[in-house]
Amino acid sequence: SGSIAGFCLNRLNATREVDPVALPNCHLIKGIETGSEDIDILPNGLAFISSGLKYPGLKSFAPDKPGEIFLMDLNEKKPKASELRISRGFDLGSFNPHGISTYIDKDDTVYLFVVNHPHQKSTVELFKFMEDDNSLVHLKTIRHDLLTSVNDVVAVGPDSFYATNDHYFSDFILMFLEMYLGLTWSNVVYYSPKEVKEVAAGFYSANGINISPDKKYIYIADILDHNVHVMEKHADWNLTHVKTLQLDTLADNLSVDPDTGDIWTGCHPNGMKLFYDDPDNPPASEVLRIQNILAEQPTVTRVYAENGSVLQGTSVATVYDGKLLIGTVFHRALYCEL
């Protein structure tokens, strides 16, 4: 069993400590105390932030408080986060939001897709964003046998998306066993009302997913394989593997700069610390920027790294107009001016 345990520790990068990389103009965002696991920014600078995730094996600072979606307008001089109201009829009590994705329709309607884990299940909730009164109207709950342990989604239509299942098993003990045994049973699913199918498989734990600005490529982070996969998207929504970029960190969510095509990712330098609830040794934070991922030698830059004293367990980093938002699985969120 020693070699299996060693394999597991490697998957979690258990020995890595962080060399800090400082950014001068950063402050913690007021009001976000229980996570900012995923962030998606509209082209107009409105940022949606998913908060309050309870995930098996990971801590939560407010285990009994329902999750919420925050909104920030990054055009403001000093942007503040405010909680979005959600329309009546939606079960807020069991709201446990994870990955999110926005989609703007031809008529400028903004749809927000939210991965939700009510009662340890996996659903994808579809909302319509009402900008006039900063609210979300719940349109439908999507459940499917292929959407078993959804981590993240990327919307490709008003009711269609790609989703990552980060584990094959949804039971925590089996999930841990799956990692321990090094099973590559995690996958990516395409969902539309007409067709649902597996489009990529063989991941240790497919996590963040996003799409290139030209909509030709899908990017998938395999958090336990420390890499990002580039897949070509075809007319029938199938995906074929183009390349894999290896990293020395656990890449969580992926964000794509619409102007440059750069990929920004929030990372866990040492995944082991996420599962230890040790206040003296908190999970660190790391933000990478990946330029020219299709090139022979993409440029990978560590933009920010910190040992967890400011920000614990970074899961996402995304940019808009010289501003950087950094989110975490269960902790605070950071706003930086680059």
Side-chain angles (χ1 to χ4, degrees):
S1 70
S3 61
I4 293 184
F7 172 85
C8 204
L9 294 174
N10 288 343
R11 290 278 149 235
L12 290 170
N13 239 16
T15 55
R16 181 154 172 227
E17 294 298 329
V18 180
D19 299 324
V21 178
L23 280 175
N25 305 309
C26 295
H27 64 262
L28 291 164
I29 298 167
K30 200 172 174 245
I32 298 181
E33 314 277 340
T34 58
S36 42
E37 202 278 337
D38 202 6
I39 303 173
D40 204 2
I41 306 177
L42 294 175
N44 66 2
L46 291 179
F48 295 88
I49 303 169
S50 152
S51 180
L53 174 67
K54 286 93 174 150
Y55 191 84
L58 298 183
K59 76 187 279 176
S60 163
F61 286 116
D64 302 322
K65 185 174 174 241
E68 45 202 341
I69 303 291
F70 286 95
L71 186 74
M72 274 181 93
D73 184 349
L74 297 180
N75 300 296
E76 289 172 4
K77 201 102 190 110
K78 289 186 174 170
K80 289 184 174 58
S82 54
E83 187 189 346
L84 281 174
R85 207 164 46 80
I86 296 177
S87 64
R88 268 183 223 148
F90 178 70
D91 180 12
L92 282 171
S94 65
F95 190 38
N96 186 7
H98 201 164
I100 61 174
S101 179
T102 53
Y103 185 82
I104 304 173
D105 212 358
K106 294 180 185 68
D107 62 2
D108 289 335
T109 303
V110 175
Y111 295 99
L112 178 70
F113 294 72
V114 180
V115 176
N116 186 19
H117 302 293
H119 317 292
Q120 278 75 56
K121 305 268 188 290
S122 276
T123 63
V124 176
E125 309 294 347
L126 179 56
F127 297 96
K128 184 169 150 184
F129 172 57
M130 312 301 280
E131 197 173 345
D132 50 352
D133 67 347
N134 277 358
S135 69
L136 294 172
V137 175
H138 185 246
L139 301 178
K140 63 175 169 178
T141 295
I142 296 165
R143 293 182 186 84
H144 195 273
D145 290 346
L146 288 181
L147 300 172
T148 47
S149 61
V150 184
N151 184 300
D152 194 18
V153 287
V154 59
V156 290
D159 51 8
S160 59
F161 54 84
Y162 289 102
T164 55
N165 286 306
D166 55 13
H167 292 87
Y168 178 80
F169 297 110
S170 43
D171 173 83
F172 177 60
I173 303 296
L174 291 174
M175 211 160 96
F176 194 78
L177 194 67
E178 182 181 339
M179 180 176 75
Y180 193 71
L181 295 175
L183 304 180
T184 52
W185 290 2
S186 159
N187 69 356
V188 176
V189 170
Y190 169 73
Y191 177 93
S192 73
K194 292 197 182 81
E195 181 183 35
V196 186
K197 59 185 177 181
E198 181 182 85
V199 289
F203 301 97
Y204 286 101
S205 186
N207 196 302
I209 187 167
N210 219 314
I211 191 166
S212 61
D214 63 9
K215 312 285 185 238
K216 285 183 186 165
Y217 299 98
I218 297 289
Y219 306 130
I220 302 153
D222 187 337
I223 190 165
L224 293 180
D225 212 14
H226 314 164
N227 56 27
V228 175
H229 296 260
V230 180
M231 315 289 277
E232 188 176 352
K233 176 170 77 68
H234 300 284
D236 60 2
W237 302 101
N238 285 335
L239 302 177
T240 50
H241 186 262
V242 176
K243 71 178 291 187
T244 303
L245 177 66
Q246 208 55 46
L247 304 165
D248 178 33
T249 189
L250 282 71
D252 197 320
N253 284 312
L254 304 174
S255 305
V256 178
D257 182 336
D259 301 326
T260 61
D262 295 352
I263 300 169
W264 291 72
T265 175
C267 306
H268 309 289
N270 180 332
M272 205 65 178
K273 294 186 185 185
L274 276 174
F275 294 96
Y276 285 163
D277 189 5
D278 180 355
D280 298 327
N281 194 7
S285 288
E286 187 168 42
V287 171
L288 300 184
R289 175 192 189 184
I290 303 166
Q291 293 165 280
N292 306 319
I293 193 160
L294 289 169
E296 192 73 26
Q297 293 288 328
T299 308
V300 180
T301 312
R302 295 174 73 230
V303 176
Y304 176 80
E306 196 277 319
N307 65 9
S309 56
V310 177
L311 206 60
Q312 299 179 19
T314 298
S315 54
V316 63
T318 182
V319 289
Y320 171 81
D321 193 26
K323 302 169 184 89
L324 169 67
L325 285 182
I326 307 174
T328 63
V329 181
F330 53 74
H331 193 232
R332 310 280 313 263
L334 201 65
Y335 170 85
C336 303
E337 292 180 5
L338 295 172

